[in-house]
């Protein structure tokens, strides 16, 4: 049922936010600090936006929500080297997310 899905998606976001490798994803990337980001990444996404969209009921389905999380991780891989601190955090948090996703659904 959709209501149960929404609750599961909210709890997954909370678990991601509490993960030690969530620090690069808690807020939108600062484009003053990373001036090329807007040019390279066409659709920025972060955990604060995903959380807001959940709260505002903007996701049509759990797949819609999952798409935003995968967009966030793919943006990270596009912009960051795999062996950089942000790149490593992205790989770790993605793995944590996919595990939680499979636990719930
Ligand atoms: C996810 C991401 N992709 C590309 C560049 C930067 C980031 N995240 C930043 C978020 C604020 C802290 S930081 O500036 O160290 C890292």
């Amino acid at each position: 049922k959709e209501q149960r899905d929404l609750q599961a998606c909210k709890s997954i976001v909370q678990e991601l936010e509490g993960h030690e490798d969530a620090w690069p994803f808690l807020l939108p990337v600062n484009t003053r600090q990373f001036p090329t980001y807007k040019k390279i990444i066409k659709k920025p996404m972060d955990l604060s936006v995903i959380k807001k969209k959940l709260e505002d009921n903007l996701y049509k389905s759990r797949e819609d929500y999952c798409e935003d999380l995968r967009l966030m991780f793919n943006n990270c891989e596009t912009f960051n080297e795999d062996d950089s601190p942000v790149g490593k955090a992205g790989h770790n948090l993605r793995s944590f997310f996919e595990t939680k996703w499979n636990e719930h659904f």
Side-chain angles (χ1 to χ4, degrees):
K1 200 166 158 340
E2 290 67 37
Q3 180 52 34
R4 190 171 42 240
D5 284 0
L6 181 65
Q7 205 40 53
C9 290
K10 281 183 176 175
S11 103
I12 289 172
V13 164
Q14 281 176 340
E15 290 183 88
L16 292 176
E17 286 177 321
H19 193 285
E20 75 167 295
D21 289 324
W23 55 272
F25 310 101
L26 297 174
L27 292 172
V29 174
N30 184 324
T31 49
R32 288 192 309 285
Q33 209 174 334
F34 298 91
T36 61
Y37 196 80
K38 279 177 92 75
K39 184 69 187 148
I40 295 166
I41 301 300
K42 301 306 175 196
K43 291 170 67 183
M45 187 50 61
D46 72 276
L47 294 174
S48 72
V49 168
I50 291 166
K51 192 171 177 178
K52 184 80 169 48
K53 285 176 75 172
L54 275 170
E55 284 157 2
D56 299 350
N57 230 348
L58 295 180
Y59 289 119
K60 276 172 24 47
S61 66
R62 67 189 203 212
E63 285 74 19
D64 204 19
Y65 154 88
C66 190
E67 211 175 289
D68 265 356
L69 271 156
R70 287 177 177 153
L71 168 65
M72 181 182 83
F73 293 123
N74 291 340
N75 288 346
C76 184
E77 284 208 44
T78 299
F79 193 85
N80 301 282
E81 296 294 332
D82 288 338
D83 60 359
S84 65
V86 173
K88 276 186 290 206
H91 286 298
N92 291 346
L93 200 68
R94 183 203 290 272
S95 166
F96 182 74
F97 165 68
E98 296 295 347
T99 301
K100 290 291 158 189
W101 183 256
N102 293 330
E103 274 170 15
H104 282 273
F105 301 115

